[in-house]
Amino acid sequence: MVEYAGQFDDQGKKPYVIDIEKATLENTNFRTTMWTGEHLQLTVMEIPVGGDIGLEVHNGIDQFLRIEQGKGKCEMGPAEDDLNFVREVEDDFVILVPSGMWHNVTNIGDVPLKLYTLYGPADHVPGTVHPTQADAEADPNED
């Protein structure tokens, strides 16, 4: 058993125990991949005030997101130009994104939006760290 000790390197493919709220709140990167298994991946994210995750779709991947801090606007829909599902989210809310669904989360609050997300199966290369959204957009391994 491993307990969270401030490390943000991918601990995947071995047993791992973490205080997910603490890790999520301490993360200052746009995205940090913390654990990548064969069928599941955990990342933590920080979205700046006014920023967003970025409109995206994951084919063959379901996604779970939990908000630990802040307030956001969640948009989902069947097409990039048809985001017909819109909800406000905040601390303790969960967002479930079905495979193939276009989605985005925008920080509409006045503090950084802190969240963690589970992908099934993994979406990012194990160990991925993107300090900023620009780094994520420039990463050739990201769709």
Side-chain angles (χ1 to χ4, degrees):
M1 177 169 70
V2 176
E3 282 198 39
Y4 175 71
Q7 80 271 12
F8 281 104
D9 52 322
D10 195 317
Q11 300 291 308
K13 303 233 174 149
K14 58 185 174 184
Y16 190 53
V17 171
I18 186 169
D19 179 336
I20 192 61
E21 182 178 18
K22 181 177 180 187
T24 302
L25 294 174
E26 287 183 3
N27 174 58
T28 58
N29 291 315
F30 175 73
R31 177 182 297 114
T32 302
T33 303
M34 298 194 70
W35 191 89
T36 303
E38 195 159 332
H39 303 286
L40 192 67
Q41 184 173 57
L42 169 66
T43 68
V44 291
M45 297 186 75
E46 179 182 87
I47 311 302
V49 173
D52 66 2
I53 288 175
L55 184 59
E56 60 186 0
V57 64
H58 306 295
N59 291 307
I61 298 172
D62 291 319
Q63 188 174 7
F64 166 104
L65 301 93
R66 179 181 158 94
I67 309 299
E68 291 290 348
Q69 173 186 289
K71 184 174 182 181
K73 177 175 73 170
C74 170
E75 299 173 278
M76 286 190 259
E80 192 172 4
D81 60 353
D82 184 10
L83 303 176
N84 56 23
F85 179 93
V86 179
R87 301 288 189 278
E88 285 193 9
V89 294
E90 59 188 38
D91 299 9
D92 303 327
F93 276 54
V94 168
I95 302 166
L96 297 167
V97 183
S99 171
M101 183 72 59
W102 284 89
H103 60 283
N104 194 9
V105 178
T106 303
N107 184 345
I108 61 171
D110 56 5
V111 298
L113 185 64
K114 303 269 192 163
L115 62 99
Y116 67 89
T117 183
L118 294 166
Y119 300 92
D123 183 51
H124 305 285
V125 173
T128 296
V129 175
H130 294 130
T132 67
Q133 186 172 12
D135 294 321
E137 291 169 356
D139 186 339
N141 295 308
E142 297 294 315
D143 328 278

